[in-house]
Structure formats: C-alpha cells, structure tokens
Amino acid sequence: MIKLTNVSKYYYSKNNVVMALRRINIELKIGEFIAITGESGSGKSTLLNVISGLDTYEEGKMEVFGNDISHYSVEELETYSREYIAFVFQDYNIIDSYSVLDNVLMALIVQGMSKNARLEQAKMLIEKVGLTEQMHQKASKLSGGEQQRTVIARALAKNSPVIVCDEPTGNLDSASANQILTLLHEISKDKLVIV
Ligand code: ADP
Ligand code: MG
C-alpha cells in the first residue's frame, strides 16, 4: 500500500550536500506495525516525512494505495498527507489548558459530525487509549505517558489508515514507553503504524 523504490533524498546547503536517504526500498501494508531504527542523524525522520508526504525526494519512485505519487505537486502531496496520514510526535501537539476530552473533541470537529456523535466518538477513543478516568483533567496535569495517549487519541480521531509516529516514546520512562508501544501495536491491527 505504501511502496518506495530506490528513493534517495538530499539536503542541499551552501557548501555541501547531505544524502539523507540512500536508495530506500520498503513496502508497508495495513495491519503492520513497523519500527524504523537507527542512530541519530541516520535519516529516520526524513524517511517518515517522505512517507507522509511532508517532504519531497530527488530520486526513486513512491506508490501509495495504488497511485504512483512520484510526480505529485506539493499541493497533491498535501492532499495525500491530509487524507491518509495521522501524526504522533514526541513533543505532544496537544493544548495544555484543555481537558483530554476537549483535545480529542477538537480533532473531531473537522469531520463534520453532529455534536452528539462527536462526544460519543471522543469517549470511545479515550476509552481505547485508557484515559476514561482522566477524561476531564487538563492536559497540563497529565503524566508524559497520559499526554502521549491523548495525542494518540487525537491521531485516531482523524480516522486515517496510516499513523506515523516520530520517536513517540522519546520523552517517556521505560514503563510508560512500553505501554505506549503496546497501545500502538494494538492500533496497528487495522491500520498501518510506523514508528
Ligand atoms: P534522524 O531522524 O534519524 O535523527 P534525520 O532524518 O533528522 O535523522 O536526518 C538525516 C540527515 O539529514 C542528518 O545528517 C541531518 O543532519 C540531515 N538533515 C535533516 N534535516 C535537514 C535539513 N532540513 N537540512 C539539511 N540537512 C538536514
Ligand atoms: Mg529524527
């Protein structure tokens, strides 16, 4: 469903060229839980950005859901990204002064559901990530692991087939990190989750 063939990406600056991706070949499918590992600077974020349509590349071919998107314009890539990809970053993109519920509700507003349907869906997602008891707490009062669960609930609210997580456990202790990975693994049963 997402297939990269010999994809290379370079960063150009004044005096030098960095080869951030060198002939990447990878095929990813719904239902898979994929971990991309490597030392700092090895190109993990670059690869995630390319897969997500947030960044372009210089060489190779990329196919998503049966479409060859190698020659997509920036606008077309944005549309692909908006439709197919939800993000979980390590610097939690949630609103501190909002409750868990309001953070998730906000992510549902764009979906054009009725207010009641949104509330029901938000509660379901919050239950899925194990935060029912904390639903009315402000995000700023949550632990790191709980904040990341809120981010995951928001990503799920987008209802996209692919969830891309760039170092989702980077700021967490190992116990919380394991719980988050277990949750992402469960989620991958009917989505593609790339960490
Ligand atoms: P990782 O996420 O594995 O730490 P990155 O994908 O961020 O690695 O970076 C891969 C390489 O590309 C590194 O050498 C990094 O310095 C370089 N790089 C990343 N982003 C840029 C950029 N915007 N401009 C120039 N070089 C970059
Ligand atoms: Mg990175």
Side-chain angles (χ1 to χ4, degrees):
M1 59 159 347
I2 296 183
K3 187 176 178 191
L4 278 67
T5 310
N6 288 324
V7 167
S8 298
K9 173 166 181 69
Y10 308 87
Y11 287 112
Y12 300 92
S13 57
K14 257 194 199 136
N15 301 315
N16 67 335
V17 179
V18 175
M19 190 176 206
L21 299 178
R22 185 196 305 266
R23 290 190 293 278
I24 301 290
N25 290 288
I26 189 173
E27 197 172 344
L28 311 167
K29 298 190 186 75
I30 292 274
E32 288 182 336
F33 181 54
I34 302 290
I36 295 162
T37 64
E39 62 193 38
S40 180
S42 60
K44 303 181 298 293
S45 295
T46 303
L47 178 57
L48 290 178
N49 290 343
V50 166
I51 287 172
S52 308
L54 296 183
D55 214 340
T56 54
Y57 53 94
E58 280 67 38
E59 287 165 10
K61 182 171 161 185
M62 186 161 143
E63 292 154 272
V64 297
F65 303 87
N67 300 316
D68 184 345
I69 68 166
S70 308
H71 304 292
Y72 269 20
S73 65
V74 171
E75 290 75 24
E76 287 171 317
L77 276 178
E78 274 174 14
T79 304
Y80 153 67
S81 188
R82 201 165 45 239
E83 282 179 13
Y84 288 98
I85 315 283
F87 297 96
V88 174
F89 292 117
Q90 67 174 337
D91 47 355
Y92 331 104
N93 43 346
I94 50 178
I95 299 175
D96 278 346
S97 59
Y98 279 25
S99 67
V100 172
L101 180 61
D102 286 337
N103 266 287
V104 178
L105 280 171
M106 234 186 52
L108 286 167
I109 281 175
V110 289
Q111 311 245 350
M113 293 179 202
S114 73
K115 214 174 159 188
N116 283 340
R118 279 204 303 269
L119 191 60
E120 202 172 304
Q121 179 73 359
K123 286 181 174 169
M124 191 275 286
L125 293 171
I126 288 167
E127 191 183 344
K128 190 161 189 166
V129 301
L131 283 181
T132 301
E133 274 177 37
Q134 293 84 358
M135 186 161 65
H136 297 294
Q137 268 194 44
K138 272 190 188 178
S140 58
K141 299 270 165 64
L142 301 172
S143 71
E146 290 166 346
Q147 292 190 352
Q148 198 58 295
R149 284 170 188 277
T150 307
V151 175
I152 292 169
R154 282 181 49 119
L156 290 173
K158 199 175 164 188
N159 202 21
S160 62
V162 185
I163 299 197
V164 168
C165 316
D166 196 347
E167 309 218 19
T169 61
N171 296 330
L172 302 179
D173 60 75
S174 63
S176 310
N178 279 332
Q179 290 171 359
I180 291 296
L181 289 176
T182 303
L183 175 61
L184 289 171
H185 188 211
E186 277 167 27
I187 288 166
S188 72
K189 298 233 158 65
D190 50 8
K191 288 180 188 287
L192 165 61
V193 178
I194 314 168
V195 175

